[in-house]
């Protein structure tokens, strides 16, 4: 136990740790001076490796934030290495010149970046959290200042310990979804981790459903493997909107193998009558869901019976598609 800081314990191990292996340390049944007991907690650690090109990638960028907001850059560790962010820097890149300028260290102290983890870099974590939802605020790192990213067009780079460029994105508004009339507060999301960063078709505006930004979370436009027979389905197929806490809503899930779909969802009854306009021309992610609580357009509960959810989508290439899925509104 540390002599100066009683909350700190120094651990000594008999054998050295091997490089490239993630270790899990679990602490159980530890009490503090007030006899509050920590039942169990686990932390992961390991010896960091040197980052090579494309080990760390730019996964999302907010370069034109809302009023009162801040730029942010999300990184993703796509390698199988344990990396130390203390060795990395974030930089601005000239849109025309391609020159790396305004380099900022990410952190002055060690921060282990494990495989498959996200890190969100910004000058104000509170501003980002106030404007966007995240389930992973612990991955936020607040920098004293961010590189000067320009609205409309610019560039961002991740710099390694040897001043080598690990990943670089030259961005512009032309990479955003063309049907959006206001790009303020809309982040650019990477679609696929493994495709080239500078492939303009590998980037898309964050979906409207996700709030136009997914800091610290899986991108709304990320393409995942899925069963193409299950592009659109209902869960649960029978729901009872009685506020009982069980199966009160039906969730309509959708999966697409490409970004940029604009969708409309309409609920009909078994006789083909319009019951509820659920979604109208919203920019969808590649994976998501909408919920129906059984309320119709007149703001009353729909009758017991069979209903059909109709999803129609189109993209900027002129491709259109439609899907139907039935569900049953029941009562106990």
């Amino acid at each position: 136990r540390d002599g100066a800081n009683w909350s700190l314990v120094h651990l000594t191990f008999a054998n050295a740790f091997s490089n490239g292996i993630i270790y899990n340390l679990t602490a159980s049944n530890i009490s503090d001076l007030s006899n509050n007991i920590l039942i169990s907690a686990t932390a992961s650690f390991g010896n960091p490796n040197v980052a090579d090109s494309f080990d760390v990638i730019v996964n999302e960028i907010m370069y034109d934030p809302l009023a009162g907001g801040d730029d942010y850059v999300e990184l993703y560790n796509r390698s199988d290495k344990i990396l130390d962010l203390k060795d990395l820097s974030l930089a601005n890149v000239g849109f025309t010149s391609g020159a790396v300028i305004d380099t900022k260290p990410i952190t002055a102290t060690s921060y282990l970046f494990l495989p498959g983890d996200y890190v969100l870099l910004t000058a104000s974590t509170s501003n980002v959290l106030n404007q966007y939802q995240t389930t992973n605020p612990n991955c936020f790192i607040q920098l004293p200042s961010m590189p000067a990213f320009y609205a409309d067009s610019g560039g961002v780079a991740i710099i390694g310990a040897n001043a080598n460029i690990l990943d670089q994105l030259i961005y512009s508004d032309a990479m955003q979804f063309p049907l959006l009339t206001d790009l303020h507060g809309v982040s650019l999301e990477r679609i696929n981790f493994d495709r080239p960063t500078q492939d303009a078709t590998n980037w898309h505006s964050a979906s409207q459903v996700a709030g136009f930004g997914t800091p610290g979370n899986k991108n709304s436009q990320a393409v995942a493997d899925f069963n193409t027979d299950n592009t659109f389905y209902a869960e649960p197929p029978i729901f009872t909107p009685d506020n009982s806490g069980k199966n009160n809503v039906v969730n309509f899930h959708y999966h697409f193998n490409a970004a940029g779909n604009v969708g409309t969802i309409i609920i009909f009854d078994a006789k083909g009558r319009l019951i509820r306009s659920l979604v109208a021309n919203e920019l969808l992610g590649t994976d998501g869901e909408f919920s129906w609580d059984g309320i119709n357009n007149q703001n009353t509960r729909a009758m017991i019976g069979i209903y059909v959810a109709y999803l129609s989508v189109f993209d900027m290439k002129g491709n259109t598609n439609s899907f139907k899925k039935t569900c049953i509104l029941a009562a106990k």
Side-chain angles (χ1 to χ4, degrees):
R1 193 172 186 177
D2 192 87
N5 181 3
W6 281 18
S7 66
L8 179 63
V9 175
H10 299 272
L11 302 179
T12 302
F13 296 86
N15 300 313
F17 299 117
S18 300
N19 289 336
I21 295 179
I22 299 176
Y23 296 90
N24 295 312
L25 177 66
T26 301
S28 304
N29 299 318
I30 297 176
S31 62
D32 62 14
L33 296 182
S34 299
N35 291 320
N36 298 305
I37 297 178
L38 173 68
I39 301 301
S40 181
T42 300
S44 300
F45 68 96
N47 289 334
N49 304 101
V50 176
D52 293 321
S53 176
F54 216 47
D55 283 346
V56 180
I57 57 174
V58 179
N59 194 52
E60 181 179 355
I61 180 169
M62 174 64 68
Y63 59 85
D64 189 8
L66 293 168
D70 275 84
D71 294 346
Y72 67 73
V73 176
E74 182 185 82
L75 308 183
Y76 178 76
N77 183 352
R78 64 176 296 277
S79 74
D80 58 359
K81 301 176 183 177
I82 303 169
L83 306 173
D84 193 342
L85 290 179
K86 181 173 64 68
D87 300 329
L88 308 184
S89 301
L90 189 68
N92 182 16
V93 178
F95 180 76
T96 303
S97 67
V100 174
I101 53 178
D102 198 15
T103 302
K104 305 288 187 182
I106 292 177
T107 176
T109 59
S110 288
Y111 185 113
L112 294 185
F113 194 18
L114 301 182
D117 276 359
Y118 298 92
V119 164
L120 196 286
L121 309 178
T122 182
S124 176
T125 59
S126 60
N127 284 347
V128 176
L129 290 172
N130 285 337
Q131 295 181 339
Y132 299 93
Q133 294 184 348
T134 182
T135 59
N136 192 19
N138 292 331
C139 78
F140 283 39
I141 297 179
Q142 182 164 303
L143 277 63
S145 64
M146 290 279 284
F149 299 122
Y150 301 109
D152 300 332
S153 60
V156 56
I158 311 167
I159 310 301
N162 300 318
N164 55 318
I165 297 177
L166 303 181
D167 195 30
Q168 175 177 294
L169 170 68
I170 303 297
Y171 63 83
S172 73
D173 281 352
M175 299 165 70
Q176 299 271 15
F177 187 61
L179 293 188
L180 293 177
T181 57
D182 186 0
L183 298 179
H184 296 296
V186 180
S187 75
L188 264 181
E189 290 184 334
R190 191 185 195 106
I191 295 173
N192 189 296
F193 296 138
D194 299 323
R195 287 168 55 187
T197 301
Q198 208 47 59
D199 176 0
T201 66
N202 196 30
W203 294 88
H204 202 281
S205 302
S207 76
Q208 182 178 354
V209 178
F212 293 118
T214 55
N217 289 346
K218 177 184 175 182
N219 288 349
S220 64
Q221 303 293 1
V223 172
D225 294 331
F226 65 93
N227 183 346
T228 54
D229 294 333
N230 261 344
T231 300
F232 187 54
Y233 64 96
E235 176 76 24
I238 303 174
F239 72 112
T240 53
D242 55 7
N243 205 34
S244 65
K246 183 178 181 181
N247 295 338
N248 293 156
V249 301
V250 57
N251 301 299
F252 298 109
H253 302 261
Y254 62 84
H255 302 274
F256 303 112
N257 59 4
N261 289 289
V262 175
T264 296
I265 299 179
I266 302 173
I267 309 295
F268 296 95
D269 66 11
K271 295 183 178 180
R273 295 173 296 197
L274 174 63
I275 299 298
R276 179 69 183 272
S277 299
L278 197 62
V279 175
N281 292 324
E282 287 198 14
L283 173 60
L284 306 179
T286 52
D287 183 276
E289 65 182 45
F290 291 97
S291 300
W292 182 42
D293 57 4
I295 301 301
N296 59 27
N297 283 343
Q298 287 70 46
N299 205 33
T300 62
R301 178 174 157 173
M303 302 274 298
I304 293 172
I306 298 174
Y307 291 88
V308 178
Y310 178 79
L311 168 64
S312 60
V313 296
F314 69 90
D315 62 24
M316 294 307 298
K317 297 179 181 178
N319 300 314
T320 61
N321 213 333
S322 60
F323 309 90
K324 293 181 181 180
K325 185 56 62 175
T326 59
C327 62
I328 299 175
L329 192 159
K332 296 178 181 177

